[in-house]
Amino acid sequence: MENKHKFKLNFENVSRWLGAAVIVSLIVMEITVCAQYASADPRDDRPWWMYAMLVASCVLLDVSVALEFYVVKPLNIKLATYGADLFFLLVISVITGNDFTVILYCLAATEFYMSCEKLKTNFIIFGVSSGVFVASFVLGWVRVNRGLSLYTSIVEILGGCLFGILILAIHFIIVVAVMRFYRMSRQLTAALAEADESKAELKAAYEKLSQTAVFEERNRIAKDIHDNAGHSITSVIMQTEAAKLLVDTDPEAAKTKIISANIQAKNALDQMRSSVHLLAGRPADMSLKDGIEEIVAQTVDSTDLKIRCDVEDITLDEERTRFLCNSVKECISNGLRHGGATAFYIEAKKNKDEVTLLVSDNGSGIAAGAKEGYGIKSMREKAAEFGGGVRLSGEPDEGCEVEVRIASRVFAADRAAKTRDLRN
């Protein structure tokens, strides 16, 4: 809007200065025409009122053209004033019969060609101007040059009319072409300025959005550290406290508690390292298969557990890989802590656009009426964020099975694109 306003102001300035030049040129040409008329053959009987009408028509033409440049804005009123211009021009042409009156026609039509953007309307004005000029030239020539032979009169009238129309056409083409070029140039300049402003606004919005995304990611990581690592450390403390109480009365149970605490501590350490890498901007390059195999190796090295794996080589983004690895740690920890499991089976497969993680153990299973702990609830919430879910199954003394399903990155991207299309 601001650029359009500037364009309007610039056009008004140009029109104001050009109007002054046109009016000055008009006055000069009127003086020339009147002087030639006054110095014509004195034998021509011309009453005083004809001189008065000539001067009055010139003055009124000047006033009308000045009004068009500086006062009149609506198109319908401009048409009315231009009709008055044609009347004054007709009077001047009939009285003087001067060939230079065609220049007066050109000067009078200049403002209308400038202000009217419709080419069709300009063509109509050109046609009307040409018609009035031809009529006024014929009447003026006949009045001034009566008495000549018919052949000479026809030749001179046709020659004068054709020459006048040619001048009017050249003036029309030049003014309309220049104004169209000027308007296009100004509009292009305004469009470029608007594009620069939009680019600056988009850049500022992008920077603001990037900062917001960074803050949201930091908050998410902080919450992840607080929830997951904090939960793991709390479990370590509880397991070691329980082991201290059982170390004398039940060494095997104490050993199990210590093993579970050890796994939980490693889990918390891995989560802290992963979060630190995210904050430092260093994405993890470990695949899901490598991550699960490393967890299994660390667990087996420090315990007497037996763990069998069947993990496909699946490519996922860092966040999904980290979630599934943490889910494996949580399932092993729960199997040890709550079920006293000694063996685990881990399976991870991809089926079309979905990844399924299955962890089963040979522990005591799920007791009737057992409530889900914080770890399982967190797994459910996170899996739901990834377009999946968590399923628990197991009978007392028959082990437990946990199935985690999430959508892969490709499926999530397609779903987001479809959502955007539907919104648009």
Side-chain angles (χ1 to χ4, degrees), residues 345-399:
Y345 172 71
I346 302 173
E347 180 185 80
K349 294 184 178 181
K350 182 178 180 181
N351 182 19
K352 293 184 179 179
D353 298 319
E354 188 175 72
V355 176
T356 302
L357 171 67
L358 182 67
V359 181
S360 57
D361 61 54
N362 63 347
S364 59
I366 302 176
K371 295 183 179 180
E372 292 183 357
Y374 176 83
I376 297 298
K377 289 181 179 179
S378 298
M379 286 172 57
R380 286 190 185 279
E381 293 175 359
K382 199 67 177 178
E385 290 181 12
F386 292 137
V390 175
R391 178 183 62 83
L392 272 73
S393 61
E395 297 294 334
D397 299 325
E398 292 185 5

Side-chain angles (χ1 to χ4, degrees), residues 30 33 71 93 294-295 309 341 416:
E30 288 172 343
V33 170
V71 179
S93 298
E294 182 177 341
I295 293 171
C309 290

Side-chain angles (χ1 to χ4, degrees), residues 14 50 52 63-64 87 106 115 166 181 226 247 251-252 289 293 298 316 321 347 365:
V14 172
M50 191 170 291
V63 173
S64 179
F87 174 76
C106 292
S115 60
L166 178 63
F181 175 79
H226 177 271
V247 69
E252 288 298 325
K289 183 176 181 180
E293 288 180 350
Q298 291 176 354
L316 293 172
T321 301
E347 180 185 80

Side-chain angles (χ1 to χ4, degrees), residues 106 109-110 113-114 170-180:
C106 292
T110 299
Y113 293 155
M114 287 176 54
I170 293 174
H171 170 264
F172 168 78
I173 293 172
I174 292 175
V175 174
V176 171
V178 169
M179 288 308 302
R180 288 180 69 85

Side-chain angles (χ1 to χ4, degrees), residues 15 19 31 33 70 82 85 103 132 138 156 184 202 214 228 242:
S15 178
I31 293 174
V33 170
Y70 298 108
Y82 190 66
D85 294 345
I103 300 178
V132 174
V138 172
E156 291 192 6
M184 291 179 64
L202 287 174
V214 169
N228 296 322

